[in-house]
Amino acid sequence: MKRTATAVWNGSGKEGNGHLTSQSTTLNKTQYSYKSRFEEGVGTNPEELIAAAHAGCFAMKLSFVLGGAGFTPDSLDVTSTVTLDNGAITNSHLVLKASVPGISAEKFKECADDAKANCPVSKVLNAEITLEASLV
């Protein structure tokens, strides 16, 4: 399986702007700029997209891990906060709030740690990955 996305950038780094389009067109000429990346401008940015990818990947992987252990989650609510520091992504902090009927706290932690280590986005990130996991 391969997926593609295209970035088009016009102008200088600070004054220019661009847009992103994904293969599925979920992103379709979605704007991004210096302001949307480093200030509070309209549009998206690479770090926000990595955070979304990590949260989504982790949630799906955890669902598979839980299923393999005999549990079906009612809900997995995941937030990823990606930190950009001195030009490098240094951390992705995952916060998980899960409703998983019948699971013990110990088994839940084991499954969450497995998903954290083994979701494809975690494997590609060259950054510290931290996790706060709670059953709700």
Side-chain angles (χ1 to χ4, degrees), residues 4-7 18-22 26-33 36-37 43-57 80-83 89 92 121 124-125:
T4 63
T6 303
H19 63 266
L20 304 165
T21 300
S22 61
T26 297
L27 298 175
N28 190 7
K29 296 188 177 180
T30 303
Q31 67 182 7
Y32 75 115
S33 65
S36 70
R37 190 169 191 187
T44 191
N45 59 71
E47 292 73 29
E48 176 180 74
L49 296 171
I50 290 169
H54 200 198
C57 185
S80 170
T81 303
V82 169
T83 302
I89 294 172
S92 178
V121 174
V124 78
L125 290 176

Side-chain angles (χ1 to χ4, degrees), residues 13-82:
K14 196 162 186 177
E15 288 80 27
N17 60 67
H19 63 266
L20 304 165
T21 300
S22 61
Q23 179 178 332
S24 68
T25 66
T26 297
L27 298 175
N28 190 7
K29 296 188 177 180
T30 303
Q31 67 182 7
Y32 75 115
S33 65
Y34 178 89
K35 286 186 179 186
S36 70
R37 190 169 191 187
F38 300 109
E39 297 173 6
E40 293 299 321
V42 175
T44 191
N45 59 71
E47 292 73 29
E48 176 180 74
L49 296 171
I50 290 169
H54 200 198
C57 185
F58 171 78
M60 185 179 282
K61 178 64 175 179
L62 179 54
S63 180
F64 279 110
V65 171
L66 289 166
F71 300 95
T72 301
D74 285 339
S75 68
L76 302 172
D77 182 342
V78 182
T79 301
S80 170
T81 303
V82 169

